[in-house]
Every structure is written in structure tokens, then in C-alpha cells.
């Protein structure tokens, strides 16, 4: 069994705030990330799969097939978007990197082909200082 990670760059903007809190309370909770007009990041999404090496190809996953899946179900929906509004799953919840990683995990798990190696881990790097790691618990069928 091997683990293979592919990294994907995307850019998006967001604003961290809770609608029921005052400006002051939001600043206290989220700092400058609560600034009213939002701000952007150059994120990295890391998708890790785990499976056996195919003896014919020497690969554990077809990277192009994985790229197509990630682009189709995650990157195409978040790249150059305003996460708070443009991503349906993030409306009404804080557009944190934690919630963004959860969205990516959910979207990939729902579309995951049966003949792919297991989806093992999702990572989202927002800044050098802020990296969210999300293991994927195997789903019981
Ligand atoms: Ni931010």
C-alpha cells in the first residue's frame, strides 16, 4: 500500500464573521479576517489517496483521472470565488479553512469512483501559518 498526494493551487476570497454578532464582537473573534469587504488567499488543496501499486502501470492512482475528479467537483466550484456566497455548502456557515476542507472532503467522497484507491486525507493550506488536516474516515456501506 502506498499513499499518493497531489497538490492543487486555487485562489479564493472570504470573510469570517457571524451575522448575529456585532462588528466589534466579530473583530474580537476573527481579527482582521472579519473586515467588511473580505480578503483573498492563494490556497493549496492536498488530496491523498491510499492503495496498492498497479503492477501493470506502476501507479497507485491515475493522476490525470484524479485531477479531473478534483477539478470537476471541488476546484471548479471554488477557484476565483467568494467562498461565503458562491459555494452553496458554505452559505450560512463561517467560511473558515476548516469548513472549506470539510466541503472538499464531502464533495470528493460523494463523487469518488468505486475503482479508485481509497481517499485517505484532505489538507488545505490557507497561509504559511494556517494548515488544516482532515483524515478521511472510511465510510461503512
Ligand atoms: Ni482569510
Amino acid at each position: 500500500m502506498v499513499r499518493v498526494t497531489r497538490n492543487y493551487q486555487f485562489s479564493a476570497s472570504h470573510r469570517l464573521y457571524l451575522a448575529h454578532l456585532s462588528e466589534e464582537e466579530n473583530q474580537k473573534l476573527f481579527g482582521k479576517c472579519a473586515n467588511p469587504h473580505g480578503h483573498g488567499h492563494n490556497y493549496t488543496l492536498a488530496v491523498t489517496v491510499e492503495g496498492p501499486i498497479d503492477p501493470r502501470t506502476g501507479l497507485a492512482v491515475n493522476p490525470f483521472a484524479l485531477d479531473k475528479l478534483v477539478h470537476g467537483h471541488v476546484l471548479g466550484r471554488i477557484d476565483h470565488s467568494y467562498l461565503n456566497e458562491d459555494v452553496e455548502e458554505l452559505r450560512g456557515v463561517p467560511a473558515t479553512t476548516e469548513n472549506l476542507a470539510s466541503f472538499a472532503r464531502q464533495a470528493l467522497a460523494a463523487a469518488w469512483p468505486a475503482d479508485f484507491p481509497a481517499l485517505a486525507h484532505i489538507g488545505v493550506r490557507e497561509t504559511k501559518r494556517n494548515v488544516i488536516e482532515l483524515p478521511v474516515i472510511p465510510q461503512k456501506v
Side-chain angles (χ1 to χ4, degrees):
M1 296 289 265
V2 294
R3 289 187 143 214
V4 179
T5 300
R6 293 211 25 112
N7 293 309
Y8 304 93
Q9 315 291 326
F10 65 97
S11 302
S13 63
H14 69 167
R15 180 190 174 207
L16 300 184
Y17 71 106
L18 299 176
H20 65 276
L21 297 183
S22 69
E23 281 297 321
E24 199 186 355
E25 288 168 322
N26 273 305
Q27 289 286 337
K28 211 170 161 184
L29 183 59
F30 296 116
K32 61 186 180 181
C33 293
N35 286 353
H37 299 294
H39 61 277
H41 296 282
N42 294 316
Y43 291 89
T44 303
L45 169 68
V47 177
T48 303
V49 304
E50 185 176 283
I53 301 172
D54 180 332
R56 190 177 63 86
T57 62
L59 298 171
V61 63
N62 178 323
F64 308 112
L66 179 59
D67 292 355
K68 193 175 171 200
L69 189 77
V70 174
H71 279 277
H73 293 276
V74 179
L75 297 178
R77 298 191 54 201
I78 58 181
D79 190 29
H80 289 75
S81 74
Y82 178 52
L83 297 171
N84 297 59
E85 295 294 334
D86 296 337
V87 182
E88 199 187 325
E89 291 87 337
L90 294 176
R91 281 189 209 135
V93 299
T96 58
T97 310
E98 286 87 333
N99 281 333
L100 181 55
S102 294
F103 156 71
R105 177 172 67 177
Q106 200 56 41
L108 285 176
W112 204 252
D115 62 346
F116 262 37
L119 177 60
H121 191 271
I122 298 286
V124 181
R125 178 189 181 280
E126 181 187 47
T127 65
K128 275 185 198 164
R129 297 174 63 193
N130 202 33
V131 179
I132 303 303
E133 304 276 343
L134 209 54
V136 177
I137 313 295
Q139 304 283 314
K140 289 207 176 73
V141 183

